Amino acid sequence: MRLLRYIMFLLLLLPCCGALAAGSSHQEEKTVDVKKIIFDHVKDSYEWHITTVNDKHITLPLPVIIYSSRTGWEVFLSSVFHDVDEYRGFRISREGNYEGKIVELDAEGNEQRPLLDLSLTKTVVSVFIISFLLMLIVVGTARWYRNRKPSDKAPRGFVGVMEMVIDMVVESVIKPNVGSRYKRYVSFLLTVFFMIFLTNLMGLLPIFPGGANVTGNISVAMALALCTFVAVNIFGNKEYYKEVFWPDVPVWLKAPLPLMPIIELVGVVVKPFALTIRLFANILAGHTALLAFVSIIFVTMAVNKYIGSAMTVVSVFFTIFMNVLELLVAFIQAFVFTMLSSVFIGLSQPEHRKTKH
Amino acid sequence: MSLLLPDAGLLFWMLLAFGVVFVVLYKYGFPIIVSMIDARKKYIDDALNGAKEANARIANVEEECNALVEDARKKQVEILREATAAKEQMMDEARGKADAETQRIIADAKKEIERQREDALSFVREEAAKVAIAVAEKILRDELADESSQQDYIEKLVDRINGDKKVTEGK
């Protein structure tokens, strides 16, 4: 019955697609550059493109903050580039290594990045929005417990869900992996989990203020991994550093050539990279796949409106499927990142070994 | 390729944002929630244990109650039996006392009767003696009216006394 309803819904979509095809028939020659659409989306940008109505782009201009050796600090809105190509010697590069980034020209006329680029880009603003939301949600949840005793009724509704998720993460991820001193790391690991989870979910919302590819950006994932790296290595105990620099292996493996210490050090550095790449690649792939499925509509519509209409059904079906899958991935990636961070932190706190084999 | 190159500005903002979020949530967020969850878990565990103990205690109390009832019933039977015995005894005693009293009264009555009979007998004897003396006086007065008869009588008496003496000596 339910399946039938879905099919009906999809059939109802068909006329809409037909109308869409008719509307765009006068510009059939225009080819669809899927690669550009996808890259424009997944890459960071200096303005937030929300939608296009009648060929008019509705964008949210964002502040550009740069420090150049030539002019010092510069702050202006990215909307200046709508009208002029170059503003005070800066422009957005169209090709090359810095494509899409703000560049300035050096003495030889080559494009060159300014010394510092602290612009509030789409991703940064998205991160701010998500951070604000996250603080609102968690502090709001914590406020519920004020003036309540443990003997009071358990929360229901949203606070209940939050409590369930927090308890799940603490009980099934943090406690077993971090070990006996898990209490110190609970806040950090929960923040990491909710930050990634919320960001992933916001990325799945198709319109502003969601829809930005945030965790699918390598810098964001790397920042999170760096935090874990700090948590692991700053708070690692003596045993951990002994295992890195003087592991329990035959002496010729560590002196005179420090073979094992080198391998261990590589491991220390590789761990955050593994975290970064896993998160970033998964989310990036999800966004790319979703956009690719949506693009099928426009690509096939450009070929023929009948094929286009037929493929629209397929595309909508696959997009829904991908969206649901990404919902799962959003949770799994947050979960995995938290779990691996817990494992790494747990490894940095080895309990003193009592028996040696 | 730029997809794989981290951007310093973005990295900076992300670290800053994450740092702020972490500090805020560390101060006002997660520890409160987690400690509350732990406290509630502990409370539930305690409550469960308490309920278990209470149940066990209730079972004990029931047993104790049953034992008390049984005891009371036993005591009741005992008391009833004792009461019956006491009643019997009291009745026996009362009966015994009553018997003794009756015997005593009867004995008293018999004594009284005896005494009164004695009195009556002695009175009758006295009266009879008085009559006999009066009769004897009259007879003697009639018999001893003249001298000769008086002499005869004295002689007779002396003879009798002598006769009595002989009898006494012969013994």
Side-chain angles (χ1 to χ4, degrees):
Chain A
M1 191 60 213
R2 205 173 248 190
L3 190 72
L4 203 70
R5 217 178 290 160
Y6 281 135
I7 293 169
M8 292 277 284
F9 174 71
L10 288 180
L11 287 177
L12 277 175
L13 273 178
L14 274 177
C16 307
C17 302
L20 206 126
S24 59
S25 56
H26 64 277
Q27 38 183 327
E28 258 172 19
E29 292 77 34
K30 215 169 148 186
T31 51
V32 183
D33 188 354
V34 178
K35 195 180 160 198
K36 189 177 177 309
I37 292 175
I38 292 175
F39 269 69
D40 278 353
H41 166 76
V42 297
K43 271 165 69 176
D44 204 1
S45 80
Y46 290 96
E47 55 184 16
W48 199 324
H49 179 245
I50 294 168
T51 183
T52 304
V53 181
N54 292 334
D55 285 343
K56 199 166 172 272
H57 296 293
I58 298 174
T59 57
L60 186 72
L62 299 171
V64 174
I65 306 165
I66 44 183
Y67 180 79
S68 158
S69 51
R70 186 168 50 86
T71 57
W73 286 104
E74 292 277 354
V75 178
F76 52 89
L77 274 182
S78 63
S79 51
V80 295
F81 293 116
H82 286 179
D83 309 319
V84 290
D85 244 12
E86 200 170 301
Y87 177 80
R88 295 175 69 97
F90 301 102
R91 63 179 180 200
I92 295 179
S93 176
R94 294 189 190 284
E95 52 195 357
N97 279 342
Y98 306 128
E99 191 189 340
K101 306 259 181 194
I102 285 186
V103 290
E104 55 184 354
L105 295 178
D106 63 5
E108 285 94 48
N110 294 322
E111 284 184 344
Q112 182 194 341
R113 292 279 281 146
L115 226 55
L116 259 179
D117 183 355
L118 295 181
S119 306
L120 300 181
T121 58
K122 179 181 170 184
T123 310
V124 174
V125 171
S126 196
V127 165
F128 286 173
I129 292 171
I130 287 158
S131 302
F132 180 71
L133 258 178
L134 184 58
M135 290 194 277
L136 214 67
I137 289 170
V138 178
V139 175
T141 305
R143 272 175 67 93
W144 186 89
Y145 293 96
R146 242 205 289 169
N147 306 326
R148 277 190 168 80
K149 294 191 292 294
S151 51
D152 287 349
K153 264 190 172 180
R156 291 173 185 284
F158 184 73
V159 179
V161 172
M162 285 298 286
E163 194 183 297
M164 191 193 78
V165 177
I166 290 171
D167 194 43
M168 186 270 291
V169 174
V170 172
E171 290 296 325
S172 66
V173 178
I174 300 176
K175 255 190 207 173
N177 288 323
V178 175
S180 53
R181 305 178 66 193
Y182 73 95
K183 279 246 160 78
R184 294 166 75 180
Y185 300 98
V186 159
S187 288
F188 169 69
L189 289 167
L190 280 173
T191 309
V192 166
F193 175 84
F194 279 100
M195 190 90 176
I196 297 173
F197 189 40
L198 188 64
T199 312
N200 291 348
L201 287 182
M202 290 288 281
L204 289 179
L205 284 183
I207 51 153
F208 181 83
N213 173 38
V214 180
T215 28
N217 187 302
I218 196 164
S219 311
V220 173
M222 185 174 270
L224 290 167
L226 269 177
C227 294
T228 299
F229 179 77
V230 168
V232 168
N233 290 292
I234 301 276
F235 298 108
N237 64 11
K238 232 188 268 170
E239 290 284 309
Y240 167 68
Y241 281 107
K242 187 186 161 288
E243 274 179 15
V244 171
F245 292 110
W246 201 252
D248 200 11
V249 291
V251 177
W252 60 269
L253 276 175
K254 41 193 180 182
L257 196 65
L259 219 54
M260 281 307 286
I262 287 175
I263 292 170
E264 291 280 352
L265 269 178
V266 168
V268 167
V269 181
V270 160
K271 276 171 191 164
F273 268 99
L275 283 177
T276 309
I277 304 294
R278 183 176 288 109
L279 177 61
F280 139 79
N282 269 291
I283 304 303
L284 180 67
H287 277 252
T288 311
L290 263 174
L291 282 172
F293 278 125
V294 174
S295 298
I296 288 178
I297 298 174
F298 304 103
V299 172
T300 53
M301 211 51 101
V303 177
N304 177 318
K305 71 175 174 185
Y306 299 108
I307 298 176
S309 304
M311 285 308 285
T312 302
V313 177
V314 177
S315 164
V316 167
F317 176 77
F318 274 105
T319 309
I320 291 171
F321 171 75
M322 271 311 286
N323 242 318
V324 175
L325 188 70
E326 281 306 299
L327 213 58
L328 197 66
V329 170
F331 176 80
I332 289 172
Q333 286 311 314
F335 191 85
V336 166
F337 195 101
T338 315
M339 194 174 73
L340 287 177
S341 295
S342 307
V343 170
F344 295 155
I345 289 172
L347 286 176
S348 77
Q349 319 257 312
E351 318 262 315
H352 193 77
R353 284 197 202 130
K354 278 154 204 144
T355 51
K356 278 189 178 177
H357 305 288
Chain B
M1 197 51 206
S2 62
L3 271 179
L4 293 177
L5 284 178
D7 185 80
L10 184 49
L11 200 64
F12 166 77
W13 286 118
M14 180 62 200
L15 282 174
L16 186 76
F18 183 82
V20 169
V21 171
F22 171 61
V23 168
V24 168
L25 296 191
Y26 180 75
K27 284 230 142 159
Y28 308 105
F30 291 123
I32 299 168
I33 302 174
V34 171
S35 63
M36 192 69 172
I37 292 174
D38 283 349
R40 190 180 313 116
K41 265 183 201 157
K42 201 177 160 296
Y43 174 76
I44 291 171
D45 284 350
D46 289 353
L48 279 177
N49 283 339
K52 227 179 264 171
E53 270 171 29
N55 272 340
R57 212 173 297 156
I58 285 172
N60 274 350
V61 164
E62 227 162 85
E63 259 169 42
E64 270 168 33
C65 263
N66 286 341
L68 275 180
V69 167
E70 196 63 27
D71 219 34
R73 210 167 281 154
K74 265 186 205 158
K75 266 188 192 153
Q76 186 195 20
V77 170
E78 188 95 350
I79 287 167
L80 276 178
R81 210 173 47 218
E82 268 172 22
T84 316
K87 188 181 78 175
E88 289 289 322
Q89 199 192 339
M90 274 164 81
M91 276 170 83
D92 278 355
E93 268 174 23
R95 216 173 281 141
K97 254 185 208 165
D99 276 357
E101 188 68 20
T102 316
Q103 293 299 328
R104 196 179 60 77
I105 290 169
I106 290 171
D108 281 1
K110 269 183 185 162
K111 262 184 213 161
E112 186 65 27
I113 290 168
E114 192 66 25
R115 199 175 53 77
Q116 282 187 5
R117 203 172 59 97
E118 293 283 322
D119 282 359
L121 269 179
S122 61
F123 177 73
V124 169
R125 232 179 251 142
E126 235 170 77
E127 287 300 308
K130 270 181 196 164
V131 170
I133 290 170
V135 170
E137 212 177 57
K138 254 190 188 142
I139 293 171
L140 279 177
R141 215 165 269 173
D142 287 343
E143 277 184 9
L144 301 174
D146 52 286
E147 262 313 298
S148 63
S149 56
Q150 280 175 4
Q151 200 66 40
D152 282 349
Y153 189 64
I154 291 164
E155 276 169 13
K156 227 192 275 174
L157 279 175
V158 171
D159 285 348
R160 201 179 289 169
I161 290 165
N162 287 339
D164 280 354
K165 258 185 190 167
K166 275 175 194 167
V167 169
T168 316
E169 280 166 4
K171 275 179 192 174

